[in-house]
Amino acid sequence: VGWDEGLDRTAAEGEPHSVAYAHSLDGGERWSAPLVFSDTTDAYAQMTVGTDAASGVMLVWRTLLSNRLLYAWSTDRGETFTEPQPVPGLYARPWVSPFDAYDMATDGVGNVHLVAVGASTVPTATTPLALYHTAWTGEGWTRPEVIAWYPGPENPEYPRVAVEGGGRLHVVWFTRPEGVSSVGVQVWYS
C-alpha cells in the first residue's frame, strides 16, 4: 500500500512532503515498517503501487516543483527498491489539484501499465495536457503514448486502468473545467 505524507487528498488539507510504502506478505496480519521517500528540495505526492504479479513491485509518484513522475522498482516483493528515477519522456501536470492520481494494472505477461495525466516536456500553466500510457516491461519503460489529447480548458483527471483477459486495457477518466469541482464533469473511456 502507498500513501502521501502531509497531505490528506480526500479533504485537500495539509501540505505534501513525502510518500510512503508498506507491505504485508501474510494477508494483512503483519505489515512492514513504512519506507518513506522524500527529498530536501522537492515535495512528493500521489503515489500509486503496482506489481508484475510475481516478485516485482513498482511505485510511481510525482514531484511538486519539478513536475517529474518518479518510480522505484523492487524485484524482491517490496523488501528493497531502486533509487527513485524519472519515468522517461513523461512529466506530471502542474500542481493544481491534490485530487488527481495515477493508476497501474498488470497484463498477462507481467508488464505493469501506467496511466497518467501530464506532458511530454516540462509543463507550464499553458501547456496542453494529455492522458498518457506507458508500461514497465521489467527492464524499462515503453515510450509514452497519448490516449487522449486535451488542449484545454478542460483537462483529464483521475485515470483508472484495468486489464481484461490478460491483454486488453480499459482506461476511464473524467474531465472538468479547470478549477471547477463538479459542474460540467464528463466521464470518458478508451
PDB file of all heavy atoms in Angstrom, residues 93-100 117 124-129 150-157 174-185:
ATOM      1  N   ARG A  93       1.452  16.898 -14.591  1.00  0.00           N
ATOM      2  CA  ARG A  93       0.823  18.195 -14.834  1.00  0.00           C
ATOM      3  C   ARG A  93       1.267  19.172 -13.753  1.00  0.00           C
ATOM      4  O   ARG A  93       1.684  18.753 -12.671  1.00  0.00           O
ATOM      5  CB  ARG A  93      -0.690  18.043 -14.821  1.00  0.00           C
ATOM      6  CG  ARG A  93      -1.202  17.714 -13.422  1.00  0.00           C
ATOM      7  CD  ARG A  93      -2.659  17.363 -13.337  1.00  0.00           C
ATOM      8  NE  ARG A  93      -3.481  18.470 -13.715  1.00  0.00           N
ATOM      9  CZ  ARG A  93      -4.768  18.356 -13.991  1.00  0.00           C
ATOM     10  NH1 ARG A  93      -5.363  17.196 -13.909  1.00  0.00           N
ATOM     11  NH2 ARG A  93      -5.466  19.401 -14.323  1.00  0.00           N
ATOM     12  N   PRO A  94       1.186  20.471 -13.996  1.00  0.00           N
ATOM     13  CA  PRO A  94       1.492  21.427 -12.925  1.00  0.00           C
ATOM     14  C   PRO A  94       0.601  21.141 -11.703  1.00  0.00           C
ATOM     15  O   PRO A  94      -0.546  20.701 -11.852  1.00  0.00           O
ATOM     16  CB  PRO A  94       1.164  22.783 -13.548  1.00  0.00           C
ATOM     17  CG  PRO A  94       1.363  22.563 -15.017  1.00  0.00           C
ATOM     18  CD  PRO A  94       0.883  21.154 -15.264  1.00  0.00           C
ATOM     19  N   TRP A  95       1.132  21.372 -10.525  1.00  0.00           N
ATOM     20  CA  TRP A  95       0.410  21.059  -9.290  1.00  0.00           C
ATOM     21  C   TRP A  95      -0.721  22.061  -9.089  1.00  0.00           C
ATOM     22  O   TRP A  95      -0.511  23.165  -8.648  1.00  0.00           O
ATOM     23  CB  TRP A  95       1.358  21.095  -8.098  1.00  0.00           C
ATOM     24  CG  TRP A  95       0.679  20.803  -6.798  1.00  0.00           C
ATOM     25  CD1 TRP A  95       0.294  21.716  -5.865  1.00  0.00           C
ATOM     26  CD2 TRP A  95       0.283  19.532  -6.291  1.00  0.00           C
ATOM     27  NE1 TRP A  95      -0.306  21.096  -4.799  1.00  0.00           N
ATOM     28  CE2 TRP A  95      -0.325  19.739  -5.033  1.00  0.00           C
ATOM     29  CE3 TRP A  95       0.379  18.229  -6.756  1.00  0.00           C
ATOM     30  CZ2 TRP A  95      -0.832  18.715  -4.260  1.00  0.00           C
ATOM     31  CZ3 TRP A  95      -0.115  17.204  -5.978  1.00  0.00           C
ATOM     32  CH2 TRP A  95      -0.706  17.460  -4.750  1.00  0.00           C
ATOM     33  N   VAL A  96      -1.945  21.641  -9.446  1.00  0.00           N
ATOM     34  CA  VAL A  96      -3.120  22.484  -9.249  1.00  0.00           C
ATOM     35  C   VAL A  96      -4.224  21.731  -8.523  1.00  0.00           C
ATOM     36  O   VAL A  96      -5.146  22.350  -8.017  1.00  0.00           O
ATOM     37  CB  VAL A  96      -3.692  23.041 -10.579  1.00  0.00           C
ATOM     38  CG1 VAL A  96      -2.707  23.976 -11.244  1.00  0.00           C
ATOM     39  CG2 VAL A  96      -4.080  21.911 -11.522  1.00  0.00           C
ATOM     40  N   SER A  97      -4.134  20.403  -8.490  1.00  0.00           N
ATOM     41  CA  SER A  97      -5.204  19.616  -7.904  1.00  0.00           C
ATOM     42  C   SER A  97      -4.649  18.476  -7.075  1.00  0.00           C
ATOM     43  O   SER A  97      -3.978  17.592  -7.615  1.00  0.00           O
ATOM     44  CB  SER A  97      -6.103  19.041  -9.006  1.00  0.00           C
ATOM     45  OG  SER A  97      -7.042  18.163  -8.442  1.00  0.00           O
ATOM     46  N   PRO A  98      -4.929  18.470  -5.773  1.00  0.00           N
ATOM     47  CA  PRO A  98      -4.472  17.344  -4.958  1.00  0.00           C
ATOM     48  C   PRO A  98      -5.289  16.087  -5.216  1.00  0.00           C
ATOM     49  O   PRO A  98      -4.932  15.016  -4.769  1.00  0.00           O
ATOM     50  CB  PRO A  98      -4.677  17.846  -3.526  1.00  0.00           C
ATOM     51  CG  PRO A  98      -5.795  18.816  -3.627  1.00  0.00           C
ATOM     52  CD  PRO A  98      -5.626  19.473  -4.973  1.00  0.00           C
ATOM     53  N   PHE A  99      -6.389  16.204  -5.961  1.00  0.00           N
ATOM     54  CA  PHE A  99      -7.271  15.061  -6.182  1.00  0.00           C
ATOM     55  C   PHE A  99      -6.857  14.193  -7.361  1.00  0.00           C
ATOM     56  O   PHE A  99      -7.372  13.106  -7.527  1.00  0.00           O
ATOM     57  CB  PHE A  99      -8.710  15.541  -6.374  1.00  0.00           C
ATOM     58  CG  PHE A  99      -9.211  16.330  -5.204  1.00  0.00           C
ATOM     59  CD1 PHE A  99      -9.503  17.665  -5.331  1.00  0.00           C
ATOM     60  CD2 PHE A  99      -9.365  15.731  -3.969  1.00  0.00           C
ATOM     61  CE1 PHE A  99      -9.960  18.392  -4.253  1.00  0.00           C
ATOM     62  CE2 PHE A  99      -9.817  16.450  -2.881  1.00  0.00           C
ATOM     63  CZ  PHE A  99     -10.116  17.789  -3.021  1.00  0.00           C
ATOM     64  N   ASP A 100      -5.971  14.667  -8.223  1.00  0.00           N
ATOM     65  CA  ASP A 100      -5.541  13.860  -9.353  1.00  0.00           C
ATOM     66  C   ASP A 100      -4.752  12.657  -8.840  1.00  0.00           C
ATOM     67  O   ASP A 100      -4.246  12.661  -7.717  1.00  0.00           O
ATOM     68  CB  ASP A 100      -4.693  14.689 -10.321  1.00  0.00           C
ATOM     69  CG  ASP A 100      -4.645  14.077 -11.705  1.00  0.00           C
ATOM     70  OD1 ASP A 100      -5.394  13.117 -11.968  1.00  0.00           O
ATOM     71  OD2 ASP A 100      -3.851  14.547 -12.526  1.00  0.00           O
ATOM     72  N   VAL A 117      -1.901  11.662 -16.266  1.00  0.00           N
ATOM     73  CA  VAL A 117      -2.122  12.929 -16.952  1.00  0.00           C
ATOM     74  C   VAL A 117      -0.829  13.722 -16.872  1.00  0.00           C
ATOM     75  O   VAL A 117      -0.206  13.806 -15.809  1.00  0.00           O
ATOM     76  CB  VAL A 117      -3.266  13.726 -16.293  1.00  0.00           C
ATOM     77  CG1 VAL A 117      -3.415  15.098 -16.952  1.00  0.00           C
ATOM     78  CG2 VAL A 117      -4.562  12.935 -16.371  1.00  0.00           C
ATOM     79  N   THR A 124       4.120  23.991 -18.408  1.00  0.00           N
ATOM     80  CA  THR A 124       3.863  25.304 -17.829  1.00  0.00           C
ATOM     81  C   THR A 124       2.355  25.400 -17.606  1.00  0.00           C
ATOM     82  O   THR A 124       1.610  24.473 -17.928  1.00  0.00           O
ATOM     83  CB  THR A 124       4.313  26.425 -18.785  1.00  0.00           C
ATOM     84  OG1 THR A 124       3.473  26.392 -19.953  1.00  0.00           O
ATOM     85  CG2 THR A 124       5.776  26.264 -19.177  1.00  0.00           C
ATOM     86  N   ALA A 125       1.904  26.536 -17.123  1.00  0.00           N
ATOM     87  CA  ALA A 125       0.471  26.723 -16.879  1.00  0.00           C
ATOM     88  C   ALA A 125      -0.339  26.660 -18.166  1.00  0.00           C
ATOM     89  O   ALA A 125      -1.543  26.390 -18.136  1.00  0.00           O
ATOM     90  CB  ALA A 125       0.231  28.038 -16.164  1.00  0.00           C
ATOM     91  N   THR A 126       0.293  26.896 -19.316  1.00  0.00           N
ATOM     92  CA  THR A 126      -0.440  26.894 -20.583  1.00  0.00           C
ATOM     93  C   THR A 126      -0.141  25.675 -21.454  1.00  0.00           C
ATOM     94  O   THR A 126      -0.639  25.583 -22.571  1.00  0.00           O
ATOM     95  CB  THR A 126      -0.128  28.170 -21.380  1.00  0.00           C
ATOM     96  OG1 THR A 126       1.284  28.223 -21.632  1.00  0.00           O
ATOM     97  CG2 THR A 126      -0.577  29.412 -20.616  1.00  0.00           C
ATOM     98  N   THR A 127       0.664  24.741 -20.981  1.00  0.00           N
ATOM     99  CA  THR A 127       0.976  23.544 -21.760  1.00  0.00           C
ATOM    100  C   THR A 127      -0.262  22.669 -21.905  1.00  0.00           C
ATOM    101  O   THR A 127      -0.903  22.352 -20.898  1.00  0.00           O
ATOM    102  CB  THR A 127       2.088  22.725 -21.064  1.00  0.00           C
ATOM    103  OG1 THR A 127       3.263  23.513 -20.941  1.00  0.00           O
ATOM    104  CG2 THR A 127       2.411  21.458 -21.852  1.00  0.00           C
ATOM    105  N   PRO A 128      -0.624  22.273 -23.130  1.00  0.00           N
ATOM    106  CA  PRO A 128      -1.736  21.333 -23.286  1.00  0.00           C
ATOM    107  C   PRO A 128      -1.390  20.004 -22.611  1.00  0.00           C
ATOM    108  O   PRO A 128      -0.257  19.524 -22.712  1.00  0.00           O
ATOM    109  CB  PRO A 128      -1.852  21.148 -24.795  1.00  0.00           C
ATOM    110  CG  PRO A 128      -1.173  22.332 -25.389  1.00  0.00           C
ATOM    111  CD  PRO A 128      -0.086  22.702 -24.415  1.00  0.00           C
ATOM    112  N   LEU A 129      -2.360  19.441 -21.921  1.00  0.00           N
ATOM    113  CA  LEU A 129      -2.147  18.186 -21.219  1.00  0.00           C
ATOM    114  C   LEU A 129      -2.722  17.029 -22.023  1.00  0.00           C
ATOM    115  O   LEU A 129      -3.551  17.223 -22.903  1.00  0.00           O
ATOM    116  CB  LEU A 129      -2.810  18.231 -19.843  1.00  0.00           C
ATOM    117  CG  LEU A 129      -2.284  19.296 -18.895  1.00  0.00           C
ATOM    118  CD1 LEU A 129      -3.094  19.293 -17.608  1.00  0.00           C
ATOM    119  CD2 LEU A 129      -0.812  19.089 -18.606  1.00  0.00           C
ATOM    120  N   TYR A 150      -5.735  16.904 -24.729  1.00  0.00           N
ATOM    121  CA  TYR A 150      -6.638  17.952 -24.255  1.00  0.00           C
ATOM    122  C   TYR A 150      -5.952  19.307 -24.338  1.00  0.00           C
ATOM    123  O   TYR A 150      -5.090  19.622 -23.518  1.00  0.00           O
ATOM    124  CB  TYR A 150      -7.062  17.678 -22.810  1.00  0.00           C
ATOM    125  CG  TYR A 150      -8.025  16.542 -22.716  1.00  0.00           C
ATOM    126  CD1 TYR A 150      -7.580  15.239 -22.634  1.00  0.00           C
ATOM    127  CD2 TYR A 150      -9.389  16.774 -22.760  1.00  0.00           C
ATOM    128  CE1 TYR A 150      -8.470  14.182 -22.581  1.00  0.00           C
ATOM    129  CE2 TYR A 150     -10.288  15.723 -22.699  1.00  0.00           C
ATOM    130  CZ  TYR A 150      -9.822  14.434 -22.610  1.00  0.00           C
ATOM    131  OH  TYR A 150     -10.705  13.399 -22.566  1.00  0.00           O
ATOM    132  N   PRO A 151      -6.330  20.141 -25.297  1.00  0.00           N
ATOM    133  CA  PRO A 151      -5.726  21.470 -25.389  1.00  0.00           C
ATOM    134  C   PRO A 151      -6.290  22.449 -24.369  1.00  0.00           C
ATOM    135  O   PRO A 151      -5.858  23.584 -24.301  1.00  0.00           O
ATOM    136  CB  PRO A 151      -6.068  21.903 -26.823  1.00  0.00           C
ATOM    137  CG  PRO A 151      -7.309  21.153 -27.150  1.00  0.00           C
ATOM    138  CD  PRO A 151      -7.217  19.852 -26.406  1.00  0.00           C
ATOM    139  N   GLY A 152      -7.249  22.032 -23.510  1.00  0.00           N
ATOM    140  CA  GLY A 152      -7.852  22.900 -22.504  1.00  0.00           C
ATOM    141  C   GLY A 152      -9.112  23.537 -23.052  1.00  0.00           C
ATOM    142  O   GLY A 152      -9.399  23.420 -24.235  1.00  0.00           O
ATOM    143  N   PRO A 153      -9.905  24.191 -22.254  1.00  0.00           N
ATOM    144  CA  PRO A 153      -9.716  24.450 -20.834  1.00  0.00           C
ATOM    145  C   PRO A 153     -10.085  23.271 -19.935  1.00  0.00           C
ATOM    146  O   PRO A 153      -9.850  23.304 -18.748  1.00  0.00           O
ATOM    147  CB  PRO A 153     -10.651  25.631 -20.557  1.00  0.00           C
ATOM    148  CG  PRO A 153     -11.776  25.418 -21.517  1.00  0.00           C
ATOM    149  CD  PRO A 153     -11.133  24.804 -22.745  1.00  0.00           C
ATOM    150  N   GLU A 154     -10.694  22.212 -20.517  1.00  0.00           N
ATOM    151  CA  GLU A 154     -10.970  21.032 -19.710  1.00  0.00           C
ATOM    152  C   GLU A 154      -9.783  20.093 -19.783  1.00  0.00           C
ATOM    153  O   GLU A 154      -9.168  19.938 -20.831  1.00  0.00           O
ATOM    154  CB  GLU A 154     -12.225  20.329 -20.202  1.00  0.00           C
ATOM    155  CG  GLU A 154     -13.470  21.158 -20.008  1.00  0.00           C
ATOM    156  CD  GLU A 154     -14.726  20.414 -20.398  1.00  0.00           C
ATOM    157  OE1 GLU A 154     -14.625  19.339 -21.008  1.00  0.00           O
ATOM    158  OE2 GLU A 154     -15.806  20.922 -20.084  1.00  0.00           O
ATOM    159  N   ASN A 155      -9.457  19.477 -18.650  1.00  0.00           N
ATOM    160  CA  ASN A 155      -8.323  18.570 -18.608  1.00  0.00           C
ATOM    161  C   ASN A 155      -8.737  17.231 -18.027  1.00  0.00           C
ATOM    162  O   ASN A 155      -9.647  17.163 -17.215  1.00  0.00           O
ATOM    163  CB  ASN A 155      -7.198  19.173 -17.759  1.00  0.00           C
ATOM    164  CG  ASN A 155      -6.533  20.329 -18.456  1.00  0.00           C
ATOM    165  OD1 ASN A 155      -6.133  20.214 -19.602  1.00  0.00           O
ATOM    166  ND2 ASN A 155      -6.431  21.451 -17.784  1.00  0.00           N
ATOM    167  N   PRO A 156      -8.048  16.160 -18.432  1.00  0.00           N
ATOM    168  CA  PRO A 156      -8.359  14.852 -17.872  1.00  0.00           C
ATOM    169  C   PRO A 156      -7.846  14.750 -16.438  1.00  0.00           C
ATOM    170  O   PRO A 156      -6.851  15.374 -16.070  1.00  0.00           O
ATOM    171  CB  PRO A 156      -7.608  13.892 -18.793  1.00  0.00           C
ATOM    172  CG  PRO A 156      -6.476  14.696 -19.326  1.00  0.00           C
ATOM    173  CD  PRO A 156      -6.973  16.106 -19.413  1.00  0.00           C
ATOM    174  N   GLU A 157      -8.567  13.986 -15.637  1.00  0.00           N
ATOM    175  CA  GLU A 157      -8.147  13.738 -14.257  1.00  0.00           C
ATOM    176  C   GLU A 157      -8.508  12.321 -13.855  1.00  0.00           C
ATOM    177  O   GLU A 157      -9.393  11.702 -14.433  1.00  0.00           O
ATOM    178  CB  GLU A 157      -8.835  14.706 -13.289  1.00  0.00           C
ATOM    179  CG  GLU A 157      -8.343  16.128 -13.388  1.00  0.00           C
ATOM    180  CD  GLU A 157      -8.873  16.993 -12.258  1.00  0.00           C
ATOM    181  OE1 GLU A 157      -8.827  16.558 -11.097  1.00  0.00           O
ATOM    182  OE2 GLU A 157      -9.345  18.095 -12.555  1.00  0.00           O
ATOM    183  N   PHE A 174     -12.080  11.260 -16.070  1.00  0.00           N
ATOM    184  CA  PHE A 174     -13.084  12.301 -16.231  1.00  0.00           C
ATOM    185  C   PHE A 174     -12.420  13.603 -16.611  1.00  0.00           C
ATOM    186  O   PHE A 174     -11.210  13.778 -16.455  1.00  0.00           O
ATOM    187  CB  PHE A 174     -13.973  12.460 -14.983  1.00  0.00           C
ATOM    188  CG  PHE A 174     -13.297  13.018 -13.766  1.00  0.00           C
ATOM    189  CD1 PHE A 174     -13.152  14.384 -13.591  1.00  0.00           C
ATOM    190  CD2 PHE A 174     -12.851  12.179 -12.758  1.00  0.00           C
ATOM    191  CE1 PHE A 174     -12.555  14.909 -12.452  1.00  0.00           C
ATOM    192  CE2 PHE A 174     -12.260  12.686 -11.616  1.00  0.00           C
ATOM    193  CZ  PHE A 174     -12.111  14.050 -11.463  1.00  0.00           C
ATOM    194  N   THR A 175     -13.221  14.500 -17.172  1.00  0.00           N
ATOM    195  CA  THR A 175     -12.749  15.849 -17.490  1.00  0.00           C
ATOM    196  C   THR A 175     -13.692  16.834 -16.815  1.00  0.00           C
ATOM    197  O   THR A 175     -14.865  16.531 -16.566  1.00  0.00           O
ATOM    198  CB  THR A 175     -12.756  16.131 -19.007  1.00  0.00           C
ATOM    199  OG1 THR A 175     -14.076  15.986 -19.516  1.00  0.00           O
ATOM    200  CG2 THR A 175     -11.795  15.209 -19.735  1.00  0.00           C
ATOM    201  N   ARG A 176     -13.154  17.989 -16.518  1.00  0.00           N
ATOM    202  CA  ARG A 176     -13.949  19.090 -15.972  1.00  0.00           C
ATOM    203  C   ARG A 176     -13.185  20.373 -16.242  1.00  0.00           C
ATOM    204  O   ARG A 176     -11.954  20.352 -16.379  1.00  0.00           O
ATOM    205  CB  ARG A 176     -14.192  18.927 -14.477  1.00  0.00           C
ATOM    206  CG  ARG A 176     -12.912  18.979 -13.661  1.00  0.00           C
ATOM    207  CD  ARG A 176     -13.188  18.787 -12.203  1.00  0.00           C
ATOM    208  NE  ARG A 176     -11.925  18.627 -11.491  1.00  0.00           N
ATOM    209  CZ  ARG A 176     -11.775  18.912 -10.234  1.00  0.00           C
ATOM    210  NH1 ARG A 176     -12.769  19.361  -9.529  1.00  0.00           N
ATOM    211  NH2 ARG A 176     -10.620  18.739  -9.652  1.00  0.00           N
ATOM    212  N   PRO A 177     -13.885  21.482 -16.292  1.00  0.00           N
ATOM    213  CA  PRO A 177     -13.178  22.754 -16.460  1.00  0.00           C
ATOM    214  C   PRO A 177     -12.227  22.976 -15.282  1.00  0.00           C
ATOM    215  O   PRO A 177     -12.561  22.668 -14.138  1.00  0.00           O
ATOM    216  CB  PRO A 177     -14.312  23.791 -16.470  1.00  0.00           C
ATOM    217  CG  PRO A 177     -15.524  23.021 -16.878  1.00  0.00           C
ATOM    218  CD  PRO A 177     -15.332  21.646 -16.307  1.00  0.00           C
ATOM    219  N   GLU A 178     -11.035  23.466 -15.565  1.00  0.00           N
ATOM    220  CA  GLU A 178     -10.029  23.704 -14.519  1.00  0.00           C
ATOM    221  C   GLU A 178     -10.590  24.590 -13.422  1.00  0.00           C
ATOM    222  O   GLU A 178     -11.206  25.608 -13.689  1.00  0.00           O
ATOM    223  CB  GLU A 178      -8.783  24.354 -15.131  1.00  0.00           C
ATOM    224  CG  GLU A 178      -7.554  24.242 -14.276  1.00  0.00           C
ATOM    225  CD  GLU A 178      -7.070  22.810 -14.149  1.00  0.00           C
ATOM    226  OE1 GLU A 178      -6.759  22.182 -15.170  1.00  0.00           O
ATOM    227  OE2 GLU A 178      -7.001  22.310 -13.012  1.00  0.00           O
ATOM    228  N   GLY A 179     -10.423  24.172 -12.175  1.00  0.00           N
ATOM    229  CA  GLY A 179     -10.851  24.957 -11.030  1.00  0.00           C
ATOM    230  C   GLY A 179     -12.302  24.773 -10.643  1.00  0.00           C
ATOM    231  O   GLY A 179     -12.766  25.360  -9.683  1.00  0.00           O
ATOM    232  N   VAL A 180     -13.049  23.950 -11.376  1.00  0.00           N
ATOM    233  CA  VAL A 180     -14.465  23.714 -11.077  1.00  0.00           C
ATOM    234  C   VAL A 180     -14.579  22.335 -10.439  1.00  0.00           C
ATOM    235  O   VAL A 180     -14.012  21.372 -10.934  1.00  0.00           O
ATOM    236  CB  VAL A 180     -15.317  23.785 -12.362  1.00  0.00           C
ATOM    237  CG1 VAL A 180     -16.762  23.441 -12.065  1.00  0.00           C
ATOM    238  CG2 VAL A 180     -15.191  25.149 -12.995  1.00  0.00           C
ATOM    239  N   SER A 181     -15.329  22.248  -9.343  1.00  0.00           N
ATOM    240  CA  SER A 181     -15.374  20.983  -8.632  1.00  0.00           C
ATOM    241  C   SER A 181     -16.343  19.966  -9.216  1.00  0.00           C
ATOM    242  O   SER A 181     -16.034  18.791  -9.279  1.00  0.00           O
ATOM    243  CB  SER A 181     -15.695  21.215  -7.154  1.00  0.00           C
ATOM    244  OG  SER A 181     -16.975  21.806  -7.047  1.00  0.00           O
ATOM    245  N   SER A 182     -17.531  20.365  -9.637  1.00  0.00           N
ATOM    246  CA  SER A 182     -18.477  19.350 -10.098  1.00  0.00           C
ATOM    247  C   SER A 182     -19.291  19.747 -11.320  1.00  0.00           C
ATOM    248  O   SER A 182     -19.988  18.920 -11.888  1.00  0.00           O
ATOM    249  CB  SER A 182     -19.432  18.985  -8.956  1.00  0.00           C
ATOM    250  OG  SER A 182     -20.178  20.123  -8.576  1.00  0.00           O
ATOM    251  N   VAL A 183     -19.223  20.963 -11.765  1.00  0.00           N
ATOM    252  CA  VAL A 183     -20.015  21.400 -12.913  1.00  0.00           C
ATOM    253  C   VAL A 183     -19.317  20.977 -14.202  1.00  0.00           C
ATOM    254  O   VAL A 183     -18.125  21.177 -14.369  1.00  0.00           O
ATOM    255  CB  VAL A 183     -20.211  22.936 -12.887  1.00  0.00           C
ATOM    256  CG1 VAL A 183     -20.966  23.405 -14.118  1.00  0.00           C
ATOM    257  CG2 VAL A 183     -20.915  23.356 -11.613  1.00  0.00           C
ATOM    258  N   GLY A 184     -20.062  20.382 -15.114  1.00  0.00           N
ATOM    259  CA  GLY A 184     -19.513  20.042 -16.418  1.00  0.00           C
ATOM    260  C   GLY A 184     -18.613  18.827 -16.443  1.00  0.00           C
ATOM    261  O   GLY A 184     -17.852  18.649 -17.391  1.00  0.00           O
ATOM    262  N   VAL A 185     -18.691  17.959 -15.445  1.00  0.00           N
ATOM    263  CA  VAL A 185     -17.852  16.770 -15.414  1.00  0.00           C
ATOM    264  C   VAL A 185     -18.346  15.773 -16.450  1.00  0.00           C
ATOM    265  O   VAL A 185     -19.542  15.517 -16.569  1.00  0.00           O
ATOM    266  CB  VAL A 185     -17.872  16.117 -14.014  1.00  0.00           C
ATOM    267  CG1 VAL A 185     -17.147  14.790 -14.016  1.00  0.00           C
ATOM    268  CG2 VAL A 185     -17.247  17.066 -12.999  1.00  0.00           C
TER     269      VAL A 185
END
